[in-house]
């Protein structure tokens, strides 16, 4: 049961929901068949009212997929403080969700017709490890088969409507050749205009620049899982912020324009956030798993095993080295197994260049990159003194060590403190 009382904030009355789980049974998931996924149907309703849904099973045939839109969002707090009503066989059960997902569903819900979605937090039984393994392995098919990917970056705030309007304006003025990363005028009228002048910042006032900076500072852009969610949106993706929307394609056009010209330096964290957004927008076809792991290393995830599992869908099958999601393993086991799989498949030790003796995560062997923490300095440049001959390496389970065959070519005489990114 949901009781509503009125609270007060800055003199404005607003509803405060309190969930009483004792009056309604918590939702129980039915097991999925091997080829099935769950589909969340959000039933129509007025704004700010309780959210009522249905959870149905559907066979995911990539040649003839069911009709649904896939939601890309950030969980936010792991506090499942809100609830949605699941209509199942004549009764209503309660399913706890995070505040951010609750906000998204309220915004996306239609007033007169149902809306069919795929949402990871509700469509995967997160407490069933076996199901989680199976469904995470199908994430590529799920997002590629979606009619559209809905990117929910949060409710309207900090002049977000102004920022979205400005980004759409910039995108409308330029044409991007994504193979050459070059920008040209979208029309003859824009040739020679300030929109194409890369010697100056884009022609926005300070208020607009601040609003754009606040948009890029939202948590969605730093989340690891969104890398595959937007990259696999073959049928298009749309950015949603409150009532404002724009296509992901146009958003990326604006970002590449920012990358190639000066910007307002007084905006806090603008360069860092711009770089994160650019890595998201940059085409990812043909990348190696090592490159994707490097590029996404500063992205955030609550489960560090997803450093590997969350990006597998971004690389071709031969680059996955038969790595399969397995959440029964520890983070150390996942990282170590990924390293060993890479060596076994490639007969190459190039991943050793990503190892650092950081002092953190000492339980991770020194020959395994710790992808759970950002790099402290630039990596060692990979060399080819072996003429690409196959590496001879052997793993020793008794002490988790790796022995390799090499040639003694010299002795280190001196070393000094490394220069880190922080310094």
């Amino acid at each position: 049961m949901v009781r509503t009382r009125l609270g007060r904030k800055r003199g404005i009355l607003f509803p405060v929901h309190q969930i009483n789980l004792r009056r309604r049974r918590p939702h129980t998931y039915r097991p999925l068949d091997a080829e099935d996924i769950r589909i969340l149907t959000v039933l129509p309703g007025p704004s700010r009212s309780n959210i009522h849904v249905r959870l149905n099973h559907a066979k995911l045939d990539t040649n003839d997929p069911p009709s649904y839109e896939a939601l890309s969002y950030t969980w936010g707090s792991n506090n499942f403080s809100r609830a949605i009503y699941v209509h199942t066989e004549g009764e209503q059960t309660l399913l706890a969700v995070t505040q951010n997902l609750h906000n998204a569903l309220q915004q996306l819900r239609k007033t007169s017709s149902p809306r069919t979605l795929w949402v990871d937090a509700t469509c995967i039984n997160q407490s069933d490890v076996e199901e989680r393994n199976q469904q995470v392995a199908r994430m590529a098919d799920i997002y590629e088969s979606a009619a559209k990917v809905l990117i929910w970056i949060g409710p309207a705030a900090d002049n977000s409507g102004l920022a979205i309007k400005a980004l759409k304006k910039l995108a409308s003025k330029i044409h991007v050749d994504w193979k050459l990363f070059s920008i040209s005028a979208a029309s003859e009228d824009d040739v020679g205009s300030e929109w194409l002048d890369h010697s100056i910042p884009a022609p926005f006032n300070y208020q607009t620049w601040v609003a754009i900076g606040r948009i890029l500072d939202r948590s969605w852009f730093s989340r690891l899982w969104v890398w595959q969610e937007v990259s696999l949106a073959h049928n298009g993706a749309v950015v949603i912020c409150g009532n404002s929307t724009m296509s992901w394609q146009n958003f990326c056009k604006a970002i590449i324009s920012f990358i190639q010209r000066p910007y307002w330096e007084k905006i806090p964290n603008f360069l860092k956030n711009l770089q994160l957004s650019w890595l998201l927008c940059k085409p990812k076809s043909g990348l190696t798993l090592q490159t994707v792991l490097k590029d996404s290393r500063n992205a955030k995830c609550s489960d560090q095993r997803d450093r590997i599992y969350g990006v597998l869908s971004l690389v071709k099958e031969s680059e996955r080295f038969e790595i399969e999601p397995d959440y029964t393993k520890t983070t150390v086991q996942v990282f170590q197994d990924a390293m060993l799989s890479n060596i076994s498949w490639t007969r190459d030790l190039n991943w050793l260049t990503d190892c650092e003796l950081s002092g953190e995560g000492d339980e991770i062997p020194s020959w395994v990159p710790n992808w759970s923490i950002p790099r402290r300095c630039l990596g060692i440049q990979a060399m080819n003194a072996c003429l690409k001959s196959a590496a001879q390496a052997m793993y020793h389970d008794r002490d988790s060590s790796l022995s390799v065959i090499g040639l003694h070519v010299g002795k280190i005489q001196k070393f000094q403190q490394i220069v880190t990114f922080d310094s």
Side-chain angles (χ1 to χ4, degrees), residues 395-416:
Y395 171 66
H396 304 282
D397 186 59
R398 66 181 183 278
D399 58 359
S400 297
S401 64
L402 185 75
S403 61
V404 299
I405 295 176
L407 294 174
H408 181 269
V409 296
K411 184 177 181 180
I412 296 174
Q413 299 291 338
K414 181 182 178 181
F415 66 91
Q416 62 187 34

Side-chain angles (χ1 to χ4, degrees), residues 91-157:
E91 69 168 332
Q92 295 178 19
T93 56
L94 283 181
L95 183 61
V97 297
T98 64
Q99 181 66 57
N100 195 44
L101 177 54
H102 194 272
N103 292 342
L105 294 177
Q106 280 197 321
Q107 181 67 43
L108 297 173
R109 176 178 52 186
K110 298 179 180 180
T111 56
S112 58
S113 61
R115 189 164 198 170
T116 306
L117 304 173
W118 187 90
V119 184
D120 59 353
T122 60
C123 295
I124 299 176
N125 183 359
Q126 300 292 330
S127 62
D128 186 333
V129 175
E130 183 177 350
E131 178 181 306
R132 191 178 170 196
N133 290 341
Q134 188 262 347
Q135 291 289 292
V136 168
R138 303 198 72 191
M139 292 284 268
D141 290 338
I142 290 171
Y143 277 89
E144 285 179 342
S145 301
K148 186 181 294 182
V149 172
L150 308 176
I151 301 170
W152 169 256
I153 64 174

Side-chain angles (χ1 to χ4, degrees), residues 163-225:
I164 297 295
K165 183 178 179 180
L167 294 171
K168 290 167 73 173
K169 177 75 170 180
L170 174 56
S172 72
K173 297 294 183 179
I174 61 176
H175 170 77
V176 176
D177 185 327
W178 287 102
K179 291 183 179 180
L180 300 176
F181 296 121
S182 63
I183 296 176
S184 58
S187 68
E188 292 184 2
D189 294 339
D190 297 317
V191 175
S193 72
E194 56 188 351
W195 298 101
L196 275 296
D197 187 349
H198 288 177
S199 66
I200 60 173
F204 301 131
N205 60 31
Y206 181 71
Q207 181 185 30
T208 304
W209 274 107
V210 171
I212 293 172
R214 297 276 174 80
I215 282 285
L216 299 185
D217 199 37
R218 294 199 178 209
S219 59
W220 182 88
F221 295 96
S222 63
R223 179 175 167 257
L224 177 65
W225 275 104

Side-chain angles (χ1 to χ4, degrees), residues 2 65 88 103 107 148 158 172 184 193 230 234 245 315 343 387:
V2 177
T88 308
N103 292 342
Q107 181 67 43
K148 186 181 294 182
D158 302 317
S172 72
S184 58
S193 72
V230 295
H234 286 187
T245 64
V315 298
I343 294 173
L387 295 177

Side-chain angles (χ1 to χ4, degrees), residues 27 43 133 224 256 267 404 411 419:
H27 181 71
L43 302 179
N133 290 341
L224 177 65
I256 192 174
I267 310 300
V404 299
K411 184 177 181 180
V419 178

